[in-house]
Amino acid sequence: MGFVKDRFKVKADSVAAEIKQIIAEHGNKVLGETTIAQAYQGMRGIIGLITETSLLDAEDGIRFRGYSIPELREKLPKAPGGTEPLPEGLFYLMLIGELPSEEDVEHLSATFARKSHVPNYVFDVIEKLPISTHPMTQFSIAITALQKESIFAKEYANGINKKEYWSYIFEDCMNLIARLPRIAAYIYRRKYKNGDHIQPNGMLDWAGNFAHMLGYDNKGFYALMRLYLTIHADHEGGNVSAHATHLVGSALSDPYLCFASGMNGLAGPLHGLANQEVVKWIEDMCQELNTNAPNKDQISDYIKKTLTEGKVVPGYGHAVLRKTDPRFTAQMEFAKTHCPDDPMVQTVWNVYAVAPDILGATGKIKNPFPNVDAHSGALLKHFGLIEEEFYTVIFGVSRALGVLAGLCWDRALGFPIERPKSVDTHWIKAFIKGEAVKED
Ligand SMILES: CC(C)(COP(=O)(O)OP(=O)(O)OC[C@H]1O[C@@H](n2cnc3c(N)ncnc32)[C@H](O)[C@@H]1OP(=O)(O)O)[C@@H](O)C(=O)NCCC(=O)NCCS
């Protein structure tokens, strides 16, 4: 057992003991009321999940184990000569609950490099798909194909003690995280670079090696990948990809099946696909206006037109956040250093200058400010990764860190199968009338 696994076990045992006591002493304390509107409208604001890895505040944004994004950029270990945090460090923080040392991060980089081999049958499965298949579909199928490697599934079939679940889940999560950059890069090079694949470089960190395998071997893109894979990793537990991974895991499906489910959710346009949609929206606007530098008046008119057509302005709004997403701000700062004159970056900033007032004036959009997806595409485009259909796959590689750290916690804490109560509208109508309603 590696020392990260040992440390995780010690932490998890201590938290499990605390939780046992909390439930014994305070288990009946009421966390909140549920309204009819919440039941119909996406369960907003209902506290019904425990996720240890990160916590989202509507005003402050995401905090990973108490650390904000600017703090992570300052405090997490960086690659030698690098400017951005190494995502392995964030994974350690989410898993263990403490900031890692340089050695801890080096250990994780080396572990992921050692475990990164992807069996050929996975590439064969990808090769059987039409080249036009969306990269997220290819990614999800490849992850599901890789499920054959699950140690947890094999050991469960052999019969294992409940107390040992976490250990095999942990091994699967580490193996899966290690393999994802290779799978994602394979899909990219197959679809967009004529299958001219690039072998991994085991001396590089997890994000650096991903950048290398994608084919972008320059300092700026390495820095972008390290930042990107850090800031997209987690957003507490109720978002679609995290919740799907957690929910499927509660049935004791192994991490490969859980993560594929999470990725199928991330592929939705209201969730992770929004980064692709933002770029398309900007490019459509530029094409319609016949310029690559629309002014603020033109952008304002285009936003109003989008709303009039009954479409969403991608990259704006959030189910929980009520301020500019700090992940947007981190990318804006990165762009100010690396590419302030890029026309698409300038357009992203000009949209930011006008969109919140227009969206706010509708009176119905609860958060008129940009989210993480409003900026990421313009940065990737700047460095030459122009194929926006691939953007959500990069998001997915990052999201693995948070949701799989979460899955380790779920099993270590022995969380049961998830099964909230649902009712039908007949039940709701009877409830409103105060009539007795039969529950199952
Ligand atoms: C993220 C999102 C799905 C959150 O949805 P939500 O919690 O239901 O948001 P709200 O409560 O503010 O929605 C209220 C109304 O405003 C609309 N709205 C929210 N964001 C909007 C946007 N960016 N553009 C246009 N309309 C928007 C909703 O569609 C909803 O309209 P309806 O009442 O006619 O159905 C939503 O803001 C959205 O679709 N944004 C664009 C896609 C995106 O960027 N997704 C990435 C999220 S990280």
Side-chain angles (χ1 to χ4, degrees), residues 44 269-271 274 307 311-319 359 364-367 371 373:
R44 294 293 184 288
L270 297 189
H271 192 16
L307 294 176
K311 298 177 189 160
V312 295
V313 177
Y316 281 76
H318 200 270
L359 299 180
K364 72 166 184 176
I365 301 172
K366 296 196 189 68
N367 178 37
N371 57 55
D373 295 315

Side-chain angles (χ1 to χ4, degrees), residues 383-402:
F383 284 98
L385 205 156
I386 56 169
E387 301 87 357
E388 63 259 15
E389 276 202 340
F390 188 72
Y391 293 173
T392 313
V393 176
I394 307 178
F395 191 158
V397 171
S398 170
R399 190 42 65 99
L401 298 176

